[in-house]
Amino acid sequence: MINLLNINTKSTLKRNKSLRGSMPYKEATKVGVVFTVEDKQKHEQIKELIKKLERDGKKVTVICFLPNDKQNYEFLFDFFTEKDVSFWGNLTATNALKFSESTFDYLFYLDTEPNSLILNLLARSKAKCRMGSFWDDGSSFLEFMLENKNGVKGLIDGIWKYSSLLR
């Protein structure tokens, strides 16, 4: 399934002709957040980021990938699982497809390592500016990548810092 998913992702990237570019943070109104569920600490760090964004008047939409061996803390965020990918590598979760169709001003990808299911979602995304951690070949998926050696907290702090400085 993963091989077909990767082929589907590459094809989706080529077909997606969404307009990309950054905008001043003060003008941004819609922010998307996507991540892989890992532990309670990451969950709390993401909740703090969401509170900051909402205090600044941003409408925040969140979706997460829920691996089989993890729990969805508080059931606070929409999620999708491996079961939401067809045999042919197509994402089938309605909430994930709706998320990818949203024209976010910023989309924050908060994993320190790429997840192939979320990469498929990023490839579909209509977001204007996708931000996340640096990895080789990441420039196809993200307009803004941060070199990060300080885990999820460092990634969140860096994305917050640099996005809020955009003028």
Side-chain angles (χ1 to χ4, degrees), residues 9 13 16 20-22 32-35 99 106-115 118-125 127-148 155 159:
T9 298
L13 266 175
N16 189 339
R20 308 283 185 200
S22 65
V33 174
V34 62
F35 67 98
F99 183 91
Y106 296 127
L107 174 57
F108 299 154
Y109 177 31
L110 302 177
D111 286 350
T112 55
E113 297 292 324
N115 172 320
I118 292 180
L119 293 184
N120 186 274
L121 192 136
L122 291 174
R124 296 170 179 275
S125 175
K128 294 174 187 155
C129 184
R130 302 166 294 176
M131 301 179 176
S133 189
F134 174 85
W135 80 91
D136 292 338
D137 302 324
S139 62
S140 297
F141 298 93
L142 302 169
E143 285 68 51
F144 186 90
M145 295 187 291
L146 288 164
E147 184 71 46
N148 175 41
L155 176 62
I159 284 178

